Each structure stands twice: as structure tokens, then as C-alpha cells.
Amino acid sequence: MPKPTILLALDPHSAAFCAAIKRQLQEFPADQTCLIQTYTLTWDGQTFGFSGELDQFADTSFDLAQTHSKQAYVSKIRTQFSEATGELQTALIELLKTASQSKEAIAAKRQGVEISSHRVYLMLSASNQFARGVVFDIVRLIRWLFSNYFVDIPYSLETLLLLPGLFSQTTNVDYGAAYALLKELDYKMTSGVVIKGAQKVPPFDNCWLMDGRIGGLRDNLPSYADALAGFLTVEPEINGLLLGAQKVRGKIPAYSSFGYGELFFAGETTINRLSAAFAADIIREQFLPKAEFTPEASRKCLLDAKGFVLSEDFSNAFLQLERDNGKPVWQDFNPRIEIHAGMAREYGMELQRAYRQFENKELLSYKRTLEKCCKQLQGNLTSFLDRSINSYIDATPRGLHEGVRLLNILTFLYLELQTDAIGDQSQNLVTELRTAEAFLDSRLQVTIDREDTQKLLNQVLSLKLRQQQLQDGLAERKSEEQLQELQTTQKQLETAVADYRQALNTEIEQARQIRFMAIARAREQAEAAIVVAQNHLTAIENQLETATDNLDELLTEENRFRSQYLIVYPTLVAGAIFALLVLTGIFSQSTLWLLLQKFWANLVTYLLWTAVSILTYLGIVWLKYSTNIRDRIQKVQKQIQRLESSIKATAVELRRSYNEQLKLEYDLYAQNLRVEALNYLIKTAKQRTETLRQTLSDFSEIYNNLIAQRDQATTKFSETRLTVLTDADIDAYYQSFLSTLPTEKFTQEQVSRSQSWKISAEEFHNQLIPFARQQFEQLGNLSIGEVLKQSDLIAANTANLRLNQLYDSANLLLRIQDIDTNLNPTSQREITLWLGAKDKEQIFAFYSRFSRSLTALVAEDEQRLCILTRSLGFPAYFLSQIEYYRDCYERTQSEQIDEDENIPDLIPEEIGSGRELKLAYQTVILAIALGLLAQRSQGDYQFNGRSLGKDREQIALALATEFTFQELYGNLEERIETFERDFIYQKLQDLGTSASYLNPYEGKLLDHLLSDYNPLN
């Protein structure tokens, strides 16, 4: 059941450690860590307080050298703390209340969770003088508060001592200070501290010691934080033992140590790493392969671009520009106006009015229809372009990059420079645009001079050919001359390319100006043709009027001629003959009668002559008519017919001129729309290029993020917290996984390459990640035992190795000597194992081989396997380095810790191993006093001509511990024994008077020697 826990740091290094523990606790289930709170004691030199902002007061350097100058006297710190106890009491009460009255604790109680006893841990650096100065007063204050204000709350007060081995830049002073704290702590654990009145209790219910078993805190902070976090969350209910129940050599077994190891299956991390790797490989293999830049690939891309513009879809799309629902958009200007005689001017005016009406209505409608068709053309071209891009992209995994390359070729302004041979007719959208711009050149009589650009292009192609030949020659045999020629050719080629581009740009600009002028000229010519036709029509009409007048005059003359010669003159002759007969009858009837008889007798003859005369007359009249009148009438009539035909033809010509002018405007408009459609397609192609590039950039960013996510999804946690599957195991499993599920499955089932550039990067990511995770979701439900059994995830020997590593990682965080174990039977190492119910039998059987005292407990989390190793209740002198601690303590002892003189030593006298070192040091001081060790000018000491070094401490250590110095050590002792005791005492007195270079420890040894050799003793 959960225990409300307060972890209180008493110094900056402990605060940094607690902050790391707090961070590590966030990775544990909330129900295990919600009741654990961390605080630090603060002091600004004047006032004390408590704060939950650990990082603000933490020292993450874990460097003791930085704290040496800041250390204060213990007595002074204790005095200041005692004065501030009244203010701290209120703050400490509020702090203790939070353990049982926090939001988390209240929520747990509401859920029916029984809150067990409270735990308070004081963490301090054993060498920190400030922590030593306040720890026992804080202990007394906490126990007093629990005994007065929290009587009904069971609690335990324990300490976590961080020994100097955990820190860097450690000196003898630090080890000596740690030993002084352990002496005082051991003394108070035995004698107790005053709570109220005469009541004394041990300051702590248990003292947990931690040392640098796996390295320093600065380099291994996560490992130590994991160990302590695990210790706080999985500690067995029964922890510790009854202190003082059985002493060992008179020392209280008040100290304990622990080791924690955790082996867990990071299911989410494993899935994240696998899915990130799979998603990254999908992008890398199916979307990001680079396009090939070989000559063959370049030629293929040029052919593909040419095939695009020569395709039926491309051509048919432009054919539909001037067709609306299958019918031609343009209908000729053909007004129903008849021209009548003498109405040429009116006809011209009516035709001009019809022209204006056609221009403002029909032509405008045609233009609108062209606009609509142009929009459809643009849509069709865009669709065709997209289909072509999609087909190109889906054809190969390099499709996206090759699509960008194809689009670049389609919109490249200087496509001719991409060819390698003269005469190659490469085509792209730009060349089609130039063709479209020149569509009306023949009609507009435009001629473009391309001689200069063609010459430069031929020069470029020749230089490229020469460059390729030189490169091939250098590939076969390197030559300095060829290399120089190649460099010269490359420079010439660069210059020629630049000149060609400049010339082509100039040619394009000149062509546009020429066409602009030609269009203006064509419009003027069309207008002039209308004026000419109108004037011609008027002139012909005038001529027709004149000819008609002439015809009328001739017809009048003809009528007059006919009247005169056919009526008047014959009437006058007949009248004259009749009058002659009448007169003859009047004057001579016989004559008349004789004439009539003669006429009657010769009637036939007279009739014949009469007919001949009449015919002769008529012939003469017809001859006169034909030669004088008829020819002129026929000429005038023919002229009139010709003029009437001319009028009709001129009227048709006038209508055609109007039609040509309207058709010119229509064609120019259609031409502009054709060019606009191509420009739109080029612009669209460039936009598609940028879209594809942005897509590739987004995919590259997603790929880099996935690689980063894969690298971040690491199973490297700490030396204490191990994962059953390492990064190498996961990566090996992934490689075998790829053989069963290729990356193209994503493009086949989820998002094809042709779809990928049409959706946003976020949408693509949202489809990619779930697909990748789905392939590994089944791993998330495996227990740790199931993972160990799956050979595709982890090999059998590797599984055993992981379990062994877990056992090793749970070793005690303190080195303990295996001495006097027979005198302390209660101090036994115990191992507790937490594991899932279905894995219990398998894993318990494995670990039973290592320890008989193994206890297995069932945990709810089946993906974690935890081992807690504890050694409970051993005396302080069990520490493996306790002799070294004491030696440093004795060497650095000063007035600060004179109060420790009355405190019993930690190490029982009968087993102390520092005696040899002390005797060797005393021998060195005696040898110096007696002159046996002579100090040369360089500062090093010599004995019998052998240099022993400059450091007296190192000389004593060598005499006590090193084999090579034992013979010299024996000789030195023999020489000392040859002197009288009184003489030795006198020399020791002289040394004490003159040798100011002795350190305090050596001065103390000198005092002991003076006491031993004093004649009065």
C-alpha cells in the first residue's frame, strides 16, 4: 500500500540528487509516486526555510572543491539554526501536513486506498559541514512535532547519507568530515537525542548509506536516481530492524544499504523506435530516392518532355480552344443587306452599322466563348499535366525527384542547351509557347532573324562535344595538355552559353516588338482595306449613274430616230404620193385612171418594186441606226452591266474587308488566349515543381524528425534501470521484420506517391505514423516473460544475459567488509523480487540459483521486473574504506572538531588496521628527529643514499604497505633502537621547537612520541 513520503535535502548536492529523483519518479505509475514529495532546506546566510523548487538551490556539479571555501563551523551553524527553530517550526508543520493532506493523498483516500505510515527521509552529504550542523536539530524538531502534533500518525524517520565517494574533487578533508559525522551519528544512535524532558530516542529509525559503487554522481546521476526512486516505490512493507537489539564489538548495527535493479520491457519505446524506423524507411525508400543523373536518364527526360507536348491529349486540348460544344466559335460576318441601284452609300452605312453591331455583340460573344473555352483548356491542360506527373511519379520510387526534373525540363527556357547534338529538336512548353507566339507570323508577314542564336547554339554544341571528347580522353590517359585544353574548353563553353542566353533573350524581346508592330500594321491595313472598298464602291456607283444617264440619252435619241425614219418620213412619202394622185385626179382623171389601170395591170411588178424600195429604205435606215445609235447603246448597256457586277463584287469585298478586320481581332484574341493558356500551363508546371519540392522538403523534414524520434526512443536508461530489449536487439528485430513487410505496402494500401504531393504534410504524417505503429502494436501487450521467450525478439543466451545483468545491477550501493558476520547474525543480505503473476514461476526459478533468501512478490505491471537487495543493520566499521576515513579524519582534525575527542571511535580498537600506518609515521618522525632521514636541498628525504621522496605521508604509507620498502623499514627501526631514550626525547623536543613545517597530524604524533619517551613516564 502507498506510503506518504517526504524526501528532504539538507545541502545543495543533495538537492540536485533529489531533483533528479523527482524527475525519474515521473516515469513511474502515478499511483506509486503521487504521495512522494521532495523539498530542500534553504539558507541564505541569515534565515532558514524549506522550498519545493529544488533546481533553484541545487548544485549539479557534485564537486566538493567548490564547497570547501563555503564551509562554516559546525558549532556556528548549530547556533544559528537553534535561533531560527521557532520560525522553522511553523514551516515544518505545514510541510509535514502536506504528506497526508495533499490533493493526491485526499484523492487516494476517496478512492478507498488505505494510507499507511508516513516516511520522512533526510538526505545529506556526509562531508558537508552545514548539513552536519543542522541535521540533528532538524531530527529533534521533527520527532518533537510528531510526538506533539501528529501523535496519531505512525511514521519513520530515516536518513540517506551520501558518502564522499559519490563526489568529484574529493580530498582528505571531505573523508575526514564524513568520518566525523559518522562518529557523531553513531554516538547519538547509541545514546539518543533529547526530544522532550528526559526522553531520548535514536535520531533515526534507519541510516541508509550510499557510496560511489557504480561511479560518481555527476556522471551516473540517472543510475543513482533510478535506484533510489525504485527503492522508494517498491520497498517491502517490513523494512529495517530493531536497532540496538544486539551490538557487535560494542557498536550499534544502525546502518543499512540497498541496491536496486529494474529490468523492464519498454513496450511504448520499442513501438516508437520500430514505427519511427519503419516510417523513416518508407519515406527514404519510397519517396526520397534521388533521380539518376546519367546521360541516358537525361535523354529519357528530354524525350518524355517532348512526348508530353506531342501527345494527342495535349494537341486535342488546343483544338478545343475555338470550338464550343463541337461547333466552331467563329461565324463569318454576313449581314443580310441587299445593295440597290444608287444605294451604295446607304449600303456602306448599313454595312458599317451591322459591323458595329457585330463587333459589339457577336464578336464580344465569341470572345466570351473563347474565354470559357480557354478556362476549359487550362483545366484540361492542368488535368493532363497532373495525370502525366502522377504517372511519372508512380512509375518508380524515384518518381518525386524525377517528376521535379521533368517539370524543370518542361519549363526550361534554354532547352536547346540540354541537347548534345546539332539537329536535335527537343521540345517543351517553352518551345510550344514560342510556336504559339509565332502562330500568326505568316499572316502578319513577320520574319524573325534567328541566324545569330543558331550560330551561338552550334558553337555551344560543338564545345560540348569537344568537352566530352577531352573528358573521355582523360579517363583513358591523363595528360597535362589535355587537362589544360579541357579547362580552356570549359571556360569557352561557359562564355558561349552565357552569350547564347543573352542572344536568345534579345531575340525573344525583338520578336515581341516586331509582332507588336506587325499587329498594329495589320489593323491599319484592315481599316485601309475597308476604306478603299468603300471608296471603290462609291466611285463605281458614280460611274453607273453616269452610264445610266448616257443610256437614257441614247434611248431618247433612238426613239427620235425611229419616229423620224419609220413614221415621219414614210408618212410624208405616202402623203406625198396620195396628194399627187389626188391632184392628178383633180386635174386629169384619165391620167389618174390610166395610171390606176397601168398599176393594176402591173400590180405585181409595182408591188415588188414597192417592196424592194421599202426594204431598201429599211435597210438604209437599219444601217444608219446600227452605225449611229445601236452600237453606242450596247456599249453603254455593257458598261452598266459591268458596273453593276463591280458594285456587287465591291460590296462583297467591303463585307469581306469588314469580316477580315473582325476575324483579325478574333484571331488576335484567340492567339492571346492560346499564349495565355500556355503561360498558365508553364506557371502551373512551375507551381507543381515548387509543390513537389516542398513535398520533398517536408518529407525530408519528416524523415529527419523520424530519425531523431528513433534515436530518442532509446532503451539506454541507466545502469540501474535496464531494458530487456536494447537498441541493438530492437534494430535486429526490425531488420528481420523488413523481409516480411516491404516498405512499398504503404504506397500500395495507404498513400501512393501520386497522392502524397496533393495532401498536406500533416495529413501524410497522420496516415504514415498510424500505419507504421499498426505493424508493431502487438508487441505492446507482451509481458517481460513473453519477451524473453520470443526468439525473434531476443536470443535465448541474450535473455539469460539480461537477467544476470539485472541481478548484478541490484548489488548494494555500498562496499561492506565481510568481517564479524558471525557476531552479527541479523545483518544478512536479503533479496526481494517483484514480477508479474504469469512470469513468476519462470523467473523465480532462474533467480533461485543465486540466493536462497529470495522473496518473490507479485506486481501489477507485468512488463517490469524489479530486484531490491538490502543489507540491514550493520555497524559503521563494516564500511570497506572505514580505515581510510579514519586516517583522513586524524590527519585533518582541527579545532572545528575538537568536540569529537570525547566521542568513541567508530572502529573497535582490537581490529583497527591504521595502527601500522601510525607506527610507520611515528618511525618517520623519529628518523627525521634523529637525523637518520636527511632532507636534501631539493626537498626529498634520503636514507642510506636512497631517495624516499618529499612527502612524509607518502613515505610512511610506503613503509607500512609496500613490499619493496620492508627491508629499509626494518633497517630504520634497528637504527632507531640503537639510540638512548633520553637522547631521543631531547631530539624530539628540538624537532618540536624548530620544525614549523609539520602539519597538525604530525604535530599530534610528535606529542604522542614525546609522551612515550618522556623520562618521567
Side-chain angles (χ1 to χ4, degrees), residues 809-927:
S809 67
N811 283 332
L812 295 177
L813 296 177
L814 184 73
R815 290 184 176 86
I816 300 175
Q817 304 180 75
D818 292 331
I819 59 173
D820 292 342
T821 54
N822 58 324
L823 302 178
N824 186 27
T826 59
S827 178
Q828 299 294 330
R829 181 175 300 190
E830 62 178 35
I831 300 176
T832 307
L833 179 67
W834 284 264
L835 69 168
K838 60 182 176 181
D839 301 328
K840 181 176 180 181
E841 183 177 351
Q842 170 195 354
I843 297 178
F844 183 78
F846 180 86
Y847 283 115
S848 297
R849 300 177 300 172
F850 296 98
S851 174
R852 296 181 179 178
S853 59
L854 180 65
T855 302
L857 300 177
V858 176
E860 295 181 1
D861 190 351
E862 295 182 342
Q863 293 186 336
R864 292 178 64 199
L865 178 60
C866 307
I867 294 181
L868 178 65
T869 303
R870 299 186 302 175
S871 182
L872 303 174
F874 56 84
Y877 72 85
F878 273 33
L879 271 68
S880 61
Q881 288 185 302
I882 195 64
E883 291 284 356
Y884 179 69
Y885 278 55
R886 183 173 68 174
D887 182 61
C888 294
Y889 168 77
E890 291 178 347
R891 296 179 193 179
T892 58
Q893 191 176 15
S894 62
E895 64 275 9
Q896 295 186 58
I897 52 178
D898 282 344
E899 59 189 32
D900 297 341
E901 290 292 334
N902 298 323
I903 298 177
D905 196 11
L906 284 175
I907 306 175
E909 295 183 1
E910 60 268 25
I911 63 171
S913 60
R915 185 170 177 274
E916 286 294 331
L917 181 60
K918 182 177 180 181
L919 292 175
Y921 219 143
Q922 290 178 342
T923 301
V924 171
I925 294 175
L926 285 171

Side-chain angles (χ1 to χ4, degrees), residues 573-621:
V573 171
I577 294 172
F578 183 73
L580 181 58
L581 291 175
V582 171
L583 287 177
T584 302
I586 293 175
F587 291 103
S588 178
Q589 291 182 352
S590 60
T591 303
L592 176 63
W593 179 249
L594 189 66
L595 287 172
L596 289 171
Q597 289 178 347
K598 188 178 182 179
F599 176 77
W600 182 255
N602 296 306
L603 178 61
V604 174
T605 304
Y606 283 114
L607 289 175
L608 181 62
W609 281 107
T610 300
V612 170
S613 298
I614 292 172
L615 291 173
T616 301
Y617 176 78
L618 289 174
I620 294 170
V621 171

Side-chain angles (χ1 to χ4, degrees), residues 143-380:
R143 290 205 179 272
W144 185 80
L145 290 175
F146 269 103
S147 63
N148 286 276
Y149 296 101
F150 305 99
V151 180
D152 59 331
I153 299 178
Y155 76 100
S156 65
L157 179 59
E158 305 177 27
T159 183
L160 287 163
L161 290 181
L162 308 181
L163 298 179
L166 290 166
F167 303 95
S168 59
Q169 301 290 331
T170 309
T171 64
N172 292 343
V173 174
D174 301 311
Y175 286 103
Y179 190 82
L181 174 63
L182 290 173
K183 279 186 64 176
E184 185 175 7
L185 176 60
D186 198 69
Y187 174 73
K188 292 186 180 296
M189 290 295 290
T190 303
S191 61
V193 293
V194 177
I195 303 302
K196 57 181 179 179
Q199 181 184 359
K200 286 187 176 184
V201 296
F204 298 107
D205 298 307
N206 211 339
C207 301
W208 300 94
L209 304 181
M210 291 179 60
D211 204 353
R213 183 67 181 268
I214 56 176
L217 271 175
R218 182 170 60 185
D219 299 328
N220 301 277
L221 183 60
S223 298
Y224 285 108
D226 280 333
L228 195 50
F231 169 76
L232 294 174
T233 55
V234 303
E235 185 184 7
E237 193 65 27
I238 301 175
N239 54 356
L241 72 167
L242 185 59
L243 298 180
Q246 183 175 354
K247 294 185 177 181
V248 182
R249 296 188 184 274
K251 302 299 180 181
I252 184 172
Y255 305 93
S256 301
S257 184
F258 70 92
Y260 174 80
E262 179 180 337
L263 182 68
F264 70 101
F265 173 50
E268 186 65 23
T269 301
T270 301
I271 294 175
N272 289 341
R273 185 176 182 86
L274 289 170
S275 60
F278 187 46
D281 280 346
I282 289 174
I283 293 180
R284 180 178 59 83
E285 295 179 6
Q286 299 299 322
F287 296 92
L288 292 181
K290 300 291 185 181
E292 294 181 350
F293 288 93
T294 60
E296 294 79 6
S298 299
R299 289 194 296 270
K300 178 181 179 299
C301 195
L302 289 172
L303 291 175
D304 291 336
K306 186 174 183 178
F308 177 83
V309 298
L310 294 179
S311 64
E312 290 186 2
D313 291 338
F314 186 82
S315 303
N316 292 337
F318 279 96
L319 292 177
Q320 299 303 315
L321 175 62
E322 298 186 56
R323 302 189 71 85
D324 184 22
N325 296 325
K327 297 179 180 180
V329 175
W330 172 257
Q331 300 293 328
D332 286 338
F333 174 66
N334 190 20
R336 295 181 178 180
I337 301 175
E338 296 294 335
I339 186 168
H340 301 284
M343 303 293 291
R345 188 181 301 278
E346 289 76 3
Y347 175 79
M349 295 175 62
E350 287 294 330
L351 195 62
Q352 188 176 20
R353 185 164 50 252
Y355 165 79
R356 296 299 179 192
Q357 183 178 359
F358 187 94
E359 183 182 35
N360 296 332
K361 185 177 179 181
E362 280 80 1
L363 183 60
L364 185 61
S365 175
Y366 296 162
K367 289 181 178 180
R368 288 174 177 169
T369 304
L370 286 177
E371 288 286 351
K372 182 184 71 173
C373 293
C374 183
K375 293 295 182 183
Q376 294 176 354
L377 172 62
Q378 292 176 358
N380 294 335

